[in-house]
Amino acid sequence: MADEGEPGNTDGTGPEDSEPRDAGGAETDASEAAGNDQPAADAADAPSAPSPETQAADEATGSGGVPGAIASTLGGVGSTLGGVVFASKLRIALFVVLGLVGLVGAAFLLGVIGAPEVAAMQNDVGTVTNETTIIETNLTVHNPNPIGVSLGGVTADYQIRMNDVAIANGTKEGISIGTGNSTMYVETTLYNDRIPPWWASHVNNGERTTVVVDTKVSASAIGQSKTFTSEEQIQTDILGAFASEEDRPIDGNLPIVDDPLLIVKETDAAWGSASKTETPLNMAFRVYNPNIEPYAISELRYNVTMNDVLVAEGASEDPFVVTGGATNTLQASTAIQNQRLDEWWVSHLDESVYGHQVTRFRITFTAVIELPNGETTTVPLEELDYGEWIGTDIFDEGGDVGVPPEEAPDDEGGFVGGDGTSGDGTTDGDSGDGTNTTDGSGDDGSDDGGSDGGILGSVAVGTDDR
């Protein structure tokens, strides 16, 4: 009875049960006394729950988080190795390219690879207008290499000079050539206003011209180039046949006087110093008066034409008197106007005029003579007229280029050629070998003197400037 009445056991629990309850209550009170800081600290110290991916990886490996860390590390190493391999490939490619460049350079130096060069060149005159002349060029380029050259292409630079006067130039880029010989077409524009300065240089150089054609072929793939130079020497003697000692009478054809009024015993002509604007022409006439009465030439007029293009005209300024039985020398001067030469150039190239690169050069004279009775008469000096053929083959085209027609036009009073005898001006010229011959058979006989230099002879010389 006494046991059942012990205090503290009214709920039916024993002493063993009361301690856990009291302990638990104490912990609860302590926890409440500590406030909310303790649970936060406990949450920070507690390990975080693994992600589903990590759990899956752990379950797959069967060994938890360590193998996952190892796999992650290996992945980073693999990525690093991949970058190293890629960089190595770039370096290898660079070394290969540099090696190839070095091999190409070494091969060129050793003669294994050579720069393309011009093997042959043919120039022809193309379309001609009042302002321009097209030069058509076919280049044969030799590629000594076993493969074609197309990487970067081939460039051809082309320049034409006549007595150091640049008359035309051009460039053709991006040309691909195969092995051996390849033909390429190049067009160059010659501006006709370059003809006057060339003409001045031609006259001042003793009627000689050196035509130089420079062609530079560059191959960018091997960084090398070669220049081919072609030269042609050409020469004229336009005034050479003007020098004559042939007697040429001047008739008045008047009933009140006896003919001849005067006799021209000798003629001569020479160029003055040509400038950019004009080319002086100085002439001399040695005149004899076979009569008793004096005769005066109050005016001597003259025209100079080249293929019927009037390039000069003039007249003597002072009266020229020749007493009876005496001989006197008449001086006359005129000047070719160089600005008219570009028009002449077009006619010179026009095959329909007198032939391709053919010119008919003429000087015609008219005299105003004062008679003894004070009257004057105008007399065409047909026997004094002078003509010469100029044939050229500037670009060595060959064939009939520069060859005048077989018969000269009718000049009514005579066409002076060769050594000054009156003939028909028939000329047989060969401009390809630098020589020419003239067969000027006249009305009163044959002329075997020839017109040296009247036809432009040309000699082609090619050089390879390495």
Side-chain angles (χ1 to χ4, degrees):
M1 293 291 293
D3 293 337
E4 293 177 356
E6 286 183 7
N9 293 327
T10 58
D11 55 358
T13 60
E16 295 83 5
D17 296 334
S18 62
E19 291 181 1
R21 185 185 68 242
D22 293 340
E27 290 175 0
T28 301
D29 295 338
S31 175
E32 291 176 356
N36 296 330
D37 293 338
Q38 185 64 37
D42 295 342
D45 294 336
S48 60
S51 65
E53 292 81 359
T54 303
Q55 290 179 350
D58 291 344
E59 291 175 359
T61 57
S63 56
V66 175
I70 295 175
S72 176
T73 303
L74 290 177
V77 172
S79 176
T80 303
L81 289 176
V84 172
V85 170
F86 179 74
S88 299
K89 288 182 178 180
L90 286 179
R91 284 193 293 270
I92 292 172
L94 179 61
F95 288 146
V96 169
V97 170
L98 293 177
L100 289 175
V101 172
L103 288 175
V104 169
F108 178 81
L109 294 175
L110 294 174
V112 178
I113 294 179
E117 59 185 342
V118 176
M121 177 171 53
Q122 177 63 44
N123 300 298
D124 297 290
V125 176
T127 303
V128 181
T129 68
N130 291 334
E131 292 78 25
T132 61
T133 302
I134 300 300
I135 308 301
E136 301 174 341
T137 303
N138 285 303
L139 295 175
T140 300
V141 179
H142 177 68
N143 178 17
N145 306 304
I147 58 174
V149 179
S150 58
L151 182 61
V154 175
T155 300
D157 294 306
Y158 189 83
Q159 185 180 72
I160 304 174
R161 302 191 309 275
M162 297 172 67
N163 280 350
D164 294 329
V165 176
I167 62 171
N169 62 78
T171 300
K172 188 167 185 177
E173 300 178 338
I175 306 169
S176 297
I177 59 175
T179 60
N181 291 338
S182 299
T183 301
M184 65 179 66
Y185 176 79
V186 179
E187 274 192 4
T188 309
T189 300
L190 185 160
Y191 292 93
N192 297 343
D193 60 5
R194 304 302 298 157
I195 296 304
W198 158 71
W199 168 269
S201 73
H202 180 72
V203 170
N204 291 337
N205 198 36
E207 293 192 40
R208 291 178 174 86
T209 290
T210 301
V211 181
V212 179
V213 181
D214 284 330
T215 306
K216 181 181 178 181
V217 178
S218 305
S220 58
I222 59 176
Q224 299 293 332
S225 63
K226 283 190 177 182
T227 299
F228 179 84
T229 299
S230 174
E231 290 189 4
E232 289 195 35
Q233 306 294 330
I234 57 179
Q235 180 177 355
T236 60
D237 189 14
I238 299 172
L239 300 178
F242 195 95
S244 170
E245 296 181 358
E246 178 200 5
D247 288 353
R248 280 169 278 177
I250 298 176
D251 295 333
N253 296 317
L254 299 172
I256 60 176
V257 295
D258 295 330
D259 287 331
L261 302 179
L262 299 168
I263 299 175
V264 177
K265 306 288 290 184
E266 185 178 352
T267 58
D268 198 6
W271 299 113
S273 178
S275 67
K276 293 181 179 179
T277 58
E278 64 179 21
T279 305
L281 173 57
N282 304 315
M283 297 170 286
F285 306 88
R286 188 164 158 265
V287 182
Y288 168 68
N289 182 358
N291 304 291
I292 298 175
E293 302 87 356
Y295 284 94
I297 299 178
S298 59
E299 188 178 50
L300 180 65
R301 304 167 184 166
Y302 29 83
N303 291 335
V304 181
T305 59
M306 299 171 68
N307 278 353
D308 299 325
V309 176
L310 182 64
V311 294
E313 57 186 333
S316 60
E317 298 178 357
D318 300 322
F320 174 75
V321 180
V322 184
T323 58
T327 301
N328 203 351
T329 300
L330 171 64
Q331 304 284 345
S333 297
T334 186
I336 290 178
Q337 302 304 304
N338 292 353
Q339 72 269 18
R340 301 178 184 176
L341 292 175
D342 53 353
E343 182 181 353
W344 156 74
W345 172 259
V346 174
S347 71
H348 182 67
L349 301 180
D350 190 347
E351 186 174 359
S352 66
V353 180
Y354 294 114
H356 182 44
Q357 296 194 45
V358 177
T359 289
R360 182 189 183 209
F361 180 89
R362 296 192 70 214
I363 308 176
T364 58
F365 299 93
T366 301
V368 179
I369 300 178
E370 185 177 340
L371 302 176
N373 61 3
E375 297 181 2
T376 60
T377 181
T378 300
V379 181
L381 303 181
E382 295 175 351
E383 294 297 329
L384 203 61
D385 289 349
Y386 173 77
E388 184 61 278
W389 289 107
I390 306 172
T392 68
D393 189 5
I394 296 175
F395 301 112
D396 195 23
E397 297 176 64
D400 293 332
V401 175
V403 179
E406 293 182 356
E407 294 184 0
D410 183 7
D411 287 292
E412 297 182 355
F415 192 78
V416 178
D419 61 1
T421 58
S422 177
D424 62 5
T426 302
T427 306
D428 179 16
D430 181 3
S431 62
D433 59 2
T435 62
N436 65 85
T437 60
T438 301
D439 180 14
S441 56
D443 297 335
D444 57 353
S446 61
D447 172 23
D448 60 357
S451 176
D452 295 338
I455 301 303
L456 236 165
S458 62
V459 179
V461 179
T463 61
D464 185 3
D465 181 10
R466 299 175 186 271

